[in-house]
Amino acid sequence: MINLIPTPKKAEKRSEKKFSVSPKIYSHHGDFEKYLSLFKEMFYLANEIEFETGKGGIELFCDSNLPSGKYVIDSGEIIKVYASDEEGILYALSSLIQIIEVSESLVSEDYLIEDYGEKSYRSMMIDLGRQWHPFSKLLKYIDLCFLYKIKYLNIHFADTNLYTLPSKLFPKLSSKGKHYSFEEIETLNSYAKERGIILVPEFECPGHAPILNREYPEIFSDVFETESGTALFTEVGVKIETDELVCAGSEKSRNATKALLKEILEMFPDSPYINIGGDEANINQWNDCKVCREYMKAHSIKDEKELYCDYVADITKFVLSLGRTPIVWEGFPKEGCHVVPKETIVIAWESHYHMAYDLLDAGFNIINASWQPLYIVPSTRERWNSDDILDWNVYNWQHFWSESEAFLNPINVAPTDKVLGGMICVWEMTFEQEIAFVMENLSALSERLWTVKRVCSSDEFREKQRPLLMKAARIIQDR
């Protein structure tokens, strides 16, 4: 068994020979040269061994016959690495950080490894909208994603507590002392790109948006009729002081939301996706909003469910018009979902609002973020470990909550490419509270998505996981 997570597709041990590896790395292909310094940095952080540029140790080659993302490691006296593209070479470098043994010298075994990932959407989400994370911690998560072959990092920038992005259009949104600068966002982009990690920024609407209502009620809030006329939802004495739902009937609200999304996408030029939220919206209140009622009448919308789908459709179409793909959380109802563009990717998480099988039948591509076992939350009652994730698969949804359809009878769908992959979701925790759980569970998620059919027992996985966790801890430690 080779000490590598995720388990490679093929790892042929050709003999019992062991080779002393020269701490040198060299690229025979110009496009791969830029990753030499990345490997040297990451290997040093993990192992405290310095590499230099030169032939005779690890040598990188381009093999145009290999499919995108596939890599080959021919480990002998010289470790020869082959890939056809940058994605494949980055996966190979990540693997080498794990498999080269470090004792008095560097040692490799006589292996031939041929490897590629099956489910491309391997992701984790971190919640900055409820718990502030210092900027340096975000970079550590990108390093973890590189080491674990996690391709996407979904960053939940805004929610009930915080709006952590900068904004020139609506500067009052940015939480004082707890938002990132434009310069930091630029650094975040370049840091991720250097490591082959794709960032997915997230902005919440129409729910989870009290900050929009609090700071710009004249733009985003619902309007209610009172004895003295009309009042915004956020005004004292009318409903509650700060509502989480933006007005779906107001063109002013919709246009401002679109402007914010455009601003965010301009901050993340390399991100093909943006997560616009779309879940847990208390849509019944729109029936009491004067503006929403007028909008529904004017557009022949029969109820708040259709209004919900109309809103999601409008926002997702706008994102598509900008050349990006929208992602939403399972939330909009089955009724009326035909108006939502099928290019929209849906994260199936709760198995309550909209079932995974219904989303697939409706023509959507989906991401599995089954609460059980993929959520990491403060409650110890709702916490799962790597063994639980190893027992899960990407076509399976489970839940501990009795209101979810997946509570007593887990949902299973037939294998399909329309299930793009899976995502670990980390909610409401600080970096210090979550990081140990993230390191353990994220490695298991990578294992289960890299190869959909389970190929590693729990005991085998734990044996391989121990040295990986030690290297991961060294890579992300403060210096």
Side-chain angles (χ1 to χ4, degrees):
M1 179 181 69
I2 188 169
N3 253 359
L4 180 56
I5 293 175
T7 303
K9 293 291 187 299
K10 176 183 177 181
E12 176 189 347
K13 191 172 183 180
R14 296 174 294 201
S15 72
E16 295 303 315
K17 292 181 181 178
K18 291 196 173 185
F19 305 95
S20 178
V21 178
S22 176
K24 296 180 180 180
I25 184 168
Y26 184 84
S27 176
H28 294 269
H29 183 59
D31 289 348
F32 299 161
E33 286 181 0
K34 58 189 172 185
Y35 298 118
L36 300 184
S37 59
L38 170 64
F39 175 82
K40 288 188 280 188
E41 176 189 353
M42 298 295 283
F43 196 92
Y44 178 79
L45 292 176
N47 300 292
E48 295 190 343
I49 299 289
E50 292 187 349
F51 268 74
E52 61 183 58
T53 301
K55 296 180 180 180
I58 299 169
E59 299 190 10
L60 313 182
F61 299 86
C62 179
D63 182 347
S64 59
N65 293 318
L66 292 174
S68 175
K70 183 174 182 178
Y71 68 91
V72 174
I73 297 176
D74 185 350
S75 179
E77 293 183 17
I78 296 175
I79 299 177
K80 297 178 180 179
V81 180
Y82 303 90
S84 65
D85 60 8
E86 296 177 6
E87 182 177 4
I89 211 71
L90 283 166
Y91 294 151
L93 295 177
S94 168
S95 294
L96 289 171
I97 291 169
Q98 290 190 56
I99 64 176
I100 294 177
E101 297 176 19
V102 177
S103 53
E104 293 182 359
S105 62
L106 301 180
V107 176
S108 71
E109 297 189 65
D110 189 13
Y111 275 116
L112 178 66
I113 298 172
E114 298 179 13
D115 201 15
Y116 61 92
E118 292 182 10
K119 287 297 183 182
S120 64
Y121 205 94
R122 304 178 301 276
S123 178
M124 73 166 292
M125 187 225 74
I126 50 175
D127 179 9
L128 310 181
R130 293 192 183 91
Q131 287 285 2
W132 168 250
H133 287 50
F135 180 72
S136 62
K137 307 301 184 185
L138 305 188
L139 304 183
K140 296 178 188 297
Y141 276 128
I142 293 172
D143 285 338
L144 274 184
C145 288
F146 166 76
L147 182 64
Y148 287 177
K149 301 186 180 74
I150 297 297
K151 190 172 181 178
Y152 297 92
L153 179 61
N154 187 125
I155 308 182
H156 191 83
F157 280 111
D159 209 297
T160 52
N161 296 355
L162 300 167
Y163 190 95
T164 60
L165 286 169
S167 177
K168 294 178 181 176
L169 296 176
F170 300 95
K172 289 191 293 183
L173 292 179
S174 301
S175 299
K176 188 175 181 180
K178 292 185 176 180
H179 73 273
Y180 308 104
S181 67
F182 286 103
E183 292 74 20
E184 286 174 325
I185 296 299
E186 188 174 344
T187 298
L188 191 71
N189 280 307
S190 60
Y191 197 86
K193 189 173 184 179
E194 288 168 1
R195 287 154 179 77
I197 309 305
I198 298 173
L199 301 179
V200 181
E202 182 175 351
F203 164 86
E204 283 278 357
C205 65
H208 291 269
I211 294 175
L212 274 65
N213 283 318
R214 184 176 67 240
E215 299 299 338
Y216 294 95
E218 71 282 3
I219 296 175
F220 294 103
S221 289
D222 282 317
V223 177
F224 293 86
E225 295 174 322
T226 69
E227 293 180 0
S228 59
T230 59
L232 298 176
F233 195 93
T234 51
E235 291 186 5
V236 176
V238 181
K239 303 288 183 181
I240 57 175
E241 290 190 30
T242 303
D243 179 49
E244 292 198 354
L245 191 67
V246 299
C247 183
S250 164
E251 291 298 328
K252 184 165 52 175
S253 170
R254 292 191 184 211
N255 289 337
T257 297
K258 292 172 184 177
L260 268 173
L261 289 170
K262 187 172 185 292
E263 182 179 46
I264 293 169
L265 287 172
E266 288 171 352
M267 280 188 265
F268 294 90
D270 301 315
S271 300
Y273 305 117
I274 183 168
N275 188 333
I276 65 166
D279 69 330
E280 296 185 315
N282 181 25
I283 59 176
N284 290 331
Q285 82 175 41
W286 283 334
N287 291 314
D288 298 324
C289 171
K290 177 177 180 290
V291 177
C292 288
R293 289 201 306 268
E294 291 173 351
Y295 181 91
M296 286 191 282
K297 183 178 179 180
H299 293 81
S300 301
I301 294 173
K302 69 178 181 180
D303 60 20
E304 72 280 4
K305 289 184 178 180
E306 281 194 8
L307 179 59
Y308 195 1
C309 290
D310 176 85
Y311 182 89
V312 173
D314 186 28
I315 299 302
T316 52
K317 287 175 183 176
F318 175 74
V319 171
L320 289 166
S321 75
L322 298 177
R324 312 292 182 95
T325 299
I327 298 176
V328 300
W329 296 93
E330 164 207 334
F332 61 82
K334 182 179 177 180
E335 302 87 346
C337 75
H338 62 277
V339 302
V340 179
K342 295 305 179 286
E343 298 93 335
T344 303
I345 297 171
V346 184
I347 303 168
W349 63 285
E350 185 87 286
S351 298
H352 177 64
Y353 299 98
H354 206 154
M355 299 305 112
Y357 49 81
D358 283 332
L359 289 163
L360 291 171
D361 286 345
F364 293 102
N365 288 332
I366 66 175
I367 297 165
N368 189 329
S370 174
W371 188 310
Q372 179 179 344
L374 302 182
Y375 269 40
I376 299 174
V377 296
S379 171
T380 55
R381 181 173 66 93
E382 305 165 24
R383 188 171 292 160
W384 298 273
N385 59 29
S386 56
D387 284 347
D388 298 309
I389 296 173
L390 292 176
D391 289 336
W392 161 91
N393 71 68
V394 73
Y395 303 115
N396 172 260
W397 282 262
Q398 309 164 32
H399 211 308
F400 73 95
W401 182 41
S402 60
E403 297 299 315
S404 170
E405 187 175 309
F407 171 50
L408 293 178
N409 299 291
I411 294 169
N412 291 281
V413 301
T416 170
D417 290 341
K418 295 188 76 62
V419 179
L420 303 179
M423 181 166 72
I424 290 276
C425 300
V426 189
W427 294 106
E428 301 180 3
M429 301 171 75
T430 65
F431 176 85
E432 290 72 22
Q433 291 169 332
E434 70 203 14
I435 186 59
F437 301 107
V438 169
M439 288 197 297
E440 176 183 347
N441 288 13
L442 194 61
S443 60
L445 180 78
S446 179
E447 174 73 19
R448 295 302 282 119
L449 295 177
W450 191 258
T451 303
V452 172
K453 182 180 179 180
R454 187 169 178 179
V455 294
C456 190
S457 72
S458 294
D459 288 342
E460 289 171 334
F461 185 81
R462 278 192 293 272
E463 185 178 342
K464 295 194 296 183
Q465 190 186 46
R466 279 191 290 271
L468 173 59
L469 293 179
M470 291 176 63
K471 290 183 179 184
R474 288 196 288 266
I475 283 172
I476 67 169
Q477 70 180 331
D478 290 326
R479 287 174 169 78

